Amino acid sequence: MLAYGLLALGLSAVLAMVTWGVVSEYLTQQREQAAKLVTEESTTALRYGLFGVPDPCRPAREQAECPEPTMQKGVDPMAVLNSLPSTDAAASMLYVDEHWYALTGKPSDLPPDIIQSALNGTSVQRRIDFNGQPVLAVGVPLGAGTRGDAFFEWHPLSSLDDTLRTLKITLIAAAVATTLIGLAVGRLASTVALRPLAELAGVADAVARGKLDARLPAENDKDLGGLARSFNQTAADLERRVAADARFAGDVSHELRTPLMTMLNSMQLIQNHSDELPPAVREPVELLGDDLDRFRRLVIDLLEISRDDGGDRGSREIVRIADLVRAAADAAAGREVTEVEHEAEGLTLQADKRRLERVVANLVENAEDHAGGCKGVGVRTGGLGVVITVDDAGPGIAVEDRARIFERFGRGETSGRGRGVGLGLAIVARHVQWHHGTIRVTERPGGGARFVIELPAKTS
């Protein structure tokens, strides 16, 4: 676009300068020639009125020198000057028999060198300023002999300057308009040329965000057809691989549920009779119980991830966000931790109730297990519609870790303790995205981390 704009600017500037040079010179020459012609015609009329012949030299053209013209008796130079036909001249002055006669203007306003040149028998013209206005002063001798008689006029140049000013403004405006058109054409051309690449970038971004069924429609494009087909094939293979992995994880998780429930029930029975166990056995039993609980959470998370990867579309229903968050958060923390803003009590959302409950429960459990406990859960209006915050009492999350903790099996510096396996926050991010919301991590005022969820809600 910039290249098109600069090219249009350069061409229009060159064209404008050439046009200005040619047209301004032509108009100036035309105006000067017209002024000189008018003055010469007036001079011819003066010669006839003063000397009786249009040209004092005409009767003696064959002689070596022109005879000195003689003014006719009884002729009033002022009357002859008044009898001249009307022209656009702003001033007319006559010098004859060593006297000045003027209809308008003053001889003192004429530059001395113009007067001297005309009296010496040489026609002269020059642009001068009179009372701040540009005029063209023209001096023409009355005869070709030694007699010093001359006629002077000056012609206004305001109309010529106005015309040239209008031409200049028009050329500048045309150059600007041409540059803007060049920018527009460049943008259009670049958009058309880069549209396939923009589509490729958009589809690649969609695949990176988990939409594995995104495909490029440009397989028949003569320039990008090969790239589009290769990309679509790669995306299809990736989708099949992810689906196969999801099915495998789901099948394994389902197969593990039965023996896991048996082990958990057996462990619960053993823990119920822990007082009857020898002291040396109690600690291994407690460690085994913790690992079994961690194993249970891993299986549940794997089932959740595999269900999501497998294309489970879920079911949407209208839920009251405040009630759902309050129930899920308080149950996960084992105490009341939820505070709902009064304006947010009536907010509703088309949501998958199971997914949204899992989001809140995972964040609260994450705070309880890894960050010193949940300091509170808030629900308020704002953002996309409703904002849900979960605060913890931990040391906070480093800026460089705030994106990585939402990856599968991603862990922060403090995640080595507790029962987490690195899937809880990945599930949270997937479920929030499923609801067309956003999630981010910030610092909690007073220390700790704050998870902020924005969901598109509306008032019921």
Side-chain angles (χ1 to χ4, degrees), residues 341-345 347 379-383 385-387 459:
E341 188 183 64
H342 177 71
E343 289 78 4
E345 286 285 356
L347 293 178
V379 181
R380 60 179 176 84
T381 58
V386 63
V387 178
T459 303

Side-chain angles (χ1 to χ4, degrees), residues 26 30-31 68 75 88 102 146 150 171 217 240 266 393 401 445:
Y26 174 78
Q30 289 294 312
R31 183 69 180 101
E68 183 175 338
V75 174
D88 66 345
T146 59
L171 291 175
R240 286 192 295 269
S266 300
D401 290 334

Side-chain angles (χ1 to χ4, degrees), residues 193 195-197 200 216 218-219 221-229:
R195 183 179 293 121
L197 293 180
L200 174 60
L216 272 175
E219 291 192 1
D221 188 274
K222 62 180 181 179
D223 297 317
L224 295 178
L227 177 61
R229 287 188 291 271

Side-chain angles (χ1 to χ4, degrees), residues 32-33 69 77 97 105-106 117-118 149 171 173 213 224 237 266 270 275 279 289 352 361 364 382 386 434 444:
E32 292 177 351
Q33 290 176 2
D97 284 343
K106 299 178 182 179
S117 296
D149 300 331
L171 291 175
D213 58 345
L224 295 178
D237 293 342
S266 300
I270 293 174
D275 295 340
D352 186 320
V364 173
V386 63
W434 188 89
R444 180 180 71 89

Side-chain angles (χ1 to χ4, degrees), residues 141-379:
L142 287 179
T146 59
R147 185 183 183 92
D149 300 331
F151 177 63
F152 302 90
E153 283 186 335
W154 61 54
H155 301 264
L157 298 178
S158 300
S159 60
L160 174 63
D161 287 353
D162 291 341
T163 301
L164 294 178
R165 188 180 302 109
T166 302
L167 175 64
K168 183 187 298 183
I169 295 175
T170 302
L171 291 175
I172 293 175
V176 173
T178 304
T179 302
L180 295 178
I181 293 174
L183 291 172
V185 172
R187 181 170 181 81
L188 177 63
S190 61
T191 301
V192 172
L194 297 178
R195 183 179 293 121
L197 293 180
E199 294 176 356
L200 174 60
V203 174
D205 181 66
V207 172
R209 288 185 285 106
K211 191 177 179 181
L212 301 181
D213 58 345
R215 296 292 185 272
L216 272 175
E219 291 192 1
N220 296 326
D221 188 274
K222 62 180 181 179
D223 297 317
L224 295 178
L227 177 61
R229 287 188 291 271
S230 299
F231 180 87
N232 290 342
Q233 182 63 41
T234 302
D237 293 342
L238 178 62
E239 184 180 17
R240 286 192 295 269
R241 177 63 181 270
V242 170
D245 290 345
R247 286 194 300 271
F248 175 76
D251 294 342
V252 171
S253 300
H254 279 291
E255 292 297 326
L256 289 176
R257 291 186 68 177
T258 300
L260 177 61
M261 293 303 299
T262 301
M263 287 187 289
L264 289 173
N265 291 332
S266 300
M267 178 56 63
Q268 186 64 45
L269 179 62
I270 293 174
Q271 289 177 340
N272 290 338
H273 296 83
S274 60
D275 295 340
E276 302 175 8
L277 296 176
V281 180
R282 293 176 185 174
E283 184 176 358
V285 169
E286 292 178 0
L287 294 176
L288 181 60
D290 290 340
D291 285 341
L292 281 176
D293 186 62
R294 185 170 180 270
F295 188 32
R296 176 188 64 82
R297 291 167 61 91
L298 173 61
V299 171
I300 294 175
D301 288 344
L302 285 174
L303 283 173
E304 190 75 19
I305 288 287
S306 62
R307 183 186 295 116
D308 206 37
D309 288 341
D312 181 19
R313 299 184 179 274
S315 59
R316 294 183 182 270
E317 58 181 302
I318 298 178
V319 299
R320 292 177 65 89
I321 300 176
D323 296 340
L324 184 146
V325 173
R326 187 182 290 113
D330 294 350
R335 62 188 186 282
E336 292 186 4
V337 293
T338 307
E339 181 179 350
V340 181
E341 188 183 64
H342 177 71
E343 289 78 4
E345 286 285 356
L347 293 178
T348 60
L349 173 66
Q350 285 277 355
D352 186 320
K353 187 177 181 180
R354 178 188 62 81
R355 279 186 166 97
L356 196 53
E357 288 177 342
R358 189 64 185 274
V359 167
V360 177
N362 277 13
L363 290 177
V364 173
E365 290 173 358
N366 184 72
E368 290 288 316
D369 294 341
H370 306 298
C374 179
K375 297 293 292 183
V377 177
V379 181

